[in-house]
Amino acid sequence: MSEQPTIAVVEATRFRGHDPAYHDYVQLLVGNVIAEAEAQGWRVDRLAADRGADALLAETEPADAVVIVGGEDIHPDFYGGRTGYPNESRHLPAADAAQIALVHAALVRGTPLLGICRGLQIVNVALGGTLVQDLGEECAHVNRGVPIPQVLTTHTVQVEAGSRASDLLGAGSLEVRSAHHQAVDALGADLVVTARSHDGHVEAIEHADAPLLAVQWHPEDIAAPAGQLAALLRALRVAVPAREVVAA
């Protein structure tokens, strides 16, 4: 590993001109991930998946670690669902396909990967899992009918003792910030559930063997409990040498 390892922060798309408020809020969240990574000594490559799988795989090949951040709903074609569900967002199939390909590439390459919100769902779908398409109007995972900066809500999750998530964030009850109307349904291959919300929905998953961890909440939100994002990014840094040993 070089003195300054590289982390690829991968978005579905860089520009959302159809929705300036959402675009601006995403910039804040992604900016917080980048700022924390840089503070930890990473060199950050900010990449957009909507340029296609070939471009994304080429751009991330040299990366020492990958973060897949939040964004739009995954197109239902990728998990056997149907369009027309409640609260459906726009879809970016090219970005979905590219990020799914990236998950597979990370497993082959041994690249440590962190998924955040949509990133968790991408990981699950990439490994054959499915999604609950809408959690209902009364779900506690997103605030509805409010300005974009107020959509995140605070709730608790229960982190499984003995998991990587518990090593990083502590076991038992954990306060988190989230804004999601979908969740894991059927779990993808070789994934383990390591946190659930108070209403039973999956909130964190880990790969049984690979350095892959994903959370359904937003540790990068400005109102998230201090230290969550830092701990998750530090775990990627610790996992980098393992990739190089395997590659050797």
Side-chain angles (χ1 to χ4, degrees), residues 119-184:
L120 177 145
Q121 295 170 9
I122 284 285
V123 167
N124 190 55
V125 169
L127 297 182
T130 63
L131 300 178
V132 178
Q133 291 191 295
D134 188 70
L135 297 177
E137 292 301 319
E138 303 303 320
C139 83
H141 299 268
V142 61
N143 291 323
R144 302 196 190 279
V146 298
I148 288 294
Q150 299 172 27
V151 297
L152 273 83
T153 185
T154 301
H155 63 84
T156 59
V157 302
Q158 289 292 318
V159 182
E160 292 290 332
S163 65
R164 275 173 272 170
S166 70
D167 291 342
L168 301 172
L169 305 172
S173 182
L174 179 71
E175 186 175 277
V176 301
R177 294 279 288 166
S178 74
H180 62 97
H181 79 108
Q182 298 187 313
V184 168

Side-chain angles (χ1 to χ4, degrees), residues 50-228:
D50 58 356
R51 296 180 57 237
D54 289 346
L56 186 62
L57 294 181
E59 291 168 335
T60 56
E61 198 284 329
D64 294 296
V66 171
V67 181
I68 300 178
V69 295
E72 288 81 356
D73 294 354
I74 301 166
H75 196 288
D77 282 353
F78 290 98
Y79 56 90
R82 296 183 177 181
T83 58
Y85 54 87
N87 298 299
E88 183 175 9
S89 81
R90 72 168 183 161
H91 299 294
L92 301 169
D96 301 336
Q99 290 183 330
I100 287 169
L102 176 58
V103 172
H104 289 288
L107 291 174
V108 171
R109 296 167 177 169
T111 307
L113 187 149
L114 169 66
I116 295 175
C117 195
R118 169 189 163 92
L120 177 145
Q121 295 170 9
I122 284 285
V123 167
N124 190 55
V125 169
L127 297 182
T130 63
L131 300 178
V132 178
Q133 291 191 295
D134 188 70
L135 297 177
E137 292 301 319
E138 303 303 320
C139 83
H141 299 268
V142 61
N143 291 323
R144 302 196 190 279
V146 298
I148 288 294
Q150 299 172 27
V151 297
L152 273 83
T153 185
T154 301
H155 63 84
T156 59
V157 302
Q158 289 292 318
V159 182
E160 292 290 332
S163 65
R164 275 173 272 170
S166 70
D167 291 342
L168 301 172
L169 305 172
S173 182
L174 179 71
E175 186 175 277
V176 301
R177 294 279 288 166
S178 74
H180 62 97
H181 79 108
Q182 298 187 313
V184 168
D185 189 5
L187 190 65
D190 299 317
L191 295 175
V192 179
V193 177
T194 55
R196 291 185 182 271
S197 59
H198 58 286
D199 52 8
H201 291 296
V202 174
E203 287 283 336
I205 56 177
E206 300 172 7
H207 194 277
D209 302 306
L212 184 158
L213 169 66
V215 296
Q216 186 63 78
W217 65 86
H218 284 279
E220 80 278 26
D221 181 57
I222 192 170
Q228 288 186 5

